[in-house]
Amino acid sequence: MTTALLTHADCLGHVTPGGHPERVARLEHVLHALEALNLKRVAAPLVADDDLLRVHPEGYIRDIRGARPSDGFAQIDGDTFMSPGSVDAAYRAAGAAVRAVDMVLGGEVSNAFCATRPPGHHAESETAMGFCLFGNAALAAKHALDHHGLKRVAVVDFDVHHGNGTQDLLWDESRALVITSQQMPLWPGSGRPDETGAYDTVLNIPLAPGSSGAEMRAVYEAQVFPRLRTFRPELIIISAGFDAHQDDPLANLNWSTGDFAWITAELCKIADEVCEGRIVSTLEGGYDLNALAEATRAHVEELMKAAR
Ligand SMILES: [Zn+2]
């Protein structure tokens, strides 16, 4: 058994204006860092509209498709842009997450990483924001629940920003445990501990600006891992953002590359205990190119060690 890597050249066709942190070079660096690894490489398919419709209304999907510019850029919100290639990229990013669920649940691979962009965890039901168009992690969770019939799925989001989109899309989904840690205060401002979901299945973990990897480990050991073990998900989906890295320009946490390896290894351990190792991870943020590449590689190497 092995680890799958799902990606597509279309994800490099989502172009952002000069100076924008969520840029094509991010994915180029990630793919270069993973080049030498022995992964099962899979071309990400375009997502089916039926999968998108589990989390976004038809009118929103139509609006996003309609917003695609024929050249240059369309500005969707303060920091979210579309280029002519953005719809295809977003369809591949969502399609990768769904296909990864199919592969892991079908026993084709032990776990999977989706190296795609645009990211997804800020996209709410009817609102594109924070560089995100579709809620990739949430729609993967819904696909696992509604299409595959799982009873419990967990999403763990360790991106430095709050996974407000995933929280919004799964707020009233009692079968999905959403755990998201974030620097607070920081954009988008949500993610307080009293935001717990309609069925108490949302766990928000605020982390203080300037806090270290050691502090993160203590909080994850005290709050995140026990909650996961109690919930006993049949699949763990990771929103893997690497912008809590100490070198990242958009935030102020001080995690090392080793901290990302640790968190991944611990999640793999829990997955082994409760769900036969099933993990689907999808790329979210990470804006220092070298830190992103190094931390992503460390993350994927831990997934590979756990694949059996
Ligand atoms: Zn982020």
Side-chain angles (χ1 to χ4, degrees):
M1 291 293 279
T2 182
T3 297
L5 172 65
L6 294 96
T7 188
H8 198 283
D10 283 355
C11 293
L12 300 168
H14 168 55
V15 182
T16 50
H20 196 286
E22 203 297 282
R23 56 208 194 273
V24 174
R26 294 180 62 241
L27 184 55
E28 291 172 340
H29 274 66
V30 164
L31 293 176
H32 181 67
L34 303 180
E35 223 163 50
L37 302 185
N38 182 22
L39 296 155
K40 182 179 173 69
R41 288 156 201 277
V42 179
L46 299 167
V47 73
D49 278 340
D50 282 352
D51 280 308
L52 286 180
L53 285 167
R54 290 198 175 98
V55 294
H56 298 293
E58 202 174 349
Y60 173 76
I61 299 166
R62 203 170 45 233
D63 287 351
I64 290 292
R65 296 180 64 92
R68 167 178 29 195
S70 52
D71 58 25
F73 302 105
Q75 186 164 10
I76 309 300
D77 85 338
D79 51 20
T80 309
F81 293 83
M82 289 176 69
S83 69
S86 296
V87 169
D88 283 350
Y91 270 65
R92 297 285 180 193
V98 170
R99 177 80 183 105
V101 168
D102 290 339
M103 292 182 75
V104 169
L105 295 184
E108 285 178 67
V109 293
S110 293
N111 52 38
F113 180 69
C114 304
T116 50
R117 52 185 288 281
H121 73 146
H122 296 305
E124 299 186 347
S125 173
E126 299 183 62
T127 309
M129 59 186 275
F131 322 154
C132 301
L133 300 177
F134 298 133
N136 305 324
L139 67 91
K142 284 285 201 184
H143 179 75
L145 294 166
D146 293 348
H147 179 77
H148 289 279
L150 296 196
K151 294 184 175 68
R152 292 176 312 282
V153 173
V155 180
V156 178
D157 183 332
F158 58 68
D159 188 281
V160 78
H161 301 95
H162 179 225
N164 62 292
T166 307
Q167 170 173 301
D168 175 62
L169 299 174
L170 298 175
W171 182 262
D172 55 2
E173 175 51 83
S174 62
R175 301 169 295 172
L177 173 65
V178 176
I179 301 177
T180 163
S181 63
Q182 49 272 348
Q183 178 182 319
M184 182 163 278
L186 185 66
W187 187 94
S190 51
R192 296 185 318 272
D194 63 355
E195 297 166 28
T196 57
Y199 298 98
D200 198 24
T201 49
V202 173
L203 175 61
N204 272 293
I205 311 273
L207 300 167
S211 60
S212 66
E215 286 166 277
M216 173 278 289
R217 293 184 191 208
V219 172
Y220 267 68
E221 282 177 337
Q223 295 187 56
V224 176
F225 302 149
R227 185 73 184 267
L228 271 175
R229 287 189 165 98
T230 304
F231 187 76
R232 298 191 68 78
E234 296 164 289
L235 169 70
I236 296 175
I237 295 169
I238 302 177
S239 263
F242 299 95
D243 39 10
H245 195 283
Q246 58 205 2
D247 293 343
D248 197 275
L250 293 198
N252 308 99
L253 294 192
N254 288 310
W255 300 10
S256 66
T257 296
D259 290 319
F260 290 101
W262 177 84
I263 214 170
T264 309
E266 293 298 314
L267 291 174
C268 287
K269 243 188 260 173
I270 295 171
D272 261 346
E273 288 168 31
V274 304
C275 58
E276 297 161 39
R278 295 157 157 185
I279 291 181
V280 167
S281 175
T282 184
L283 180 65
E284 302 285 1
Y287 303 98
D288 178 86
L289 295 178
N290 292 328
L292 169 66
E294 192 182 279
T296 304
R297 181 173 166 131
H299 174 66
V300 173
E301 283 177 337
E302 291 301 326
L303 292 177
M304 293 175 72
K305 280 186 215 164
R308 47 173 193 145

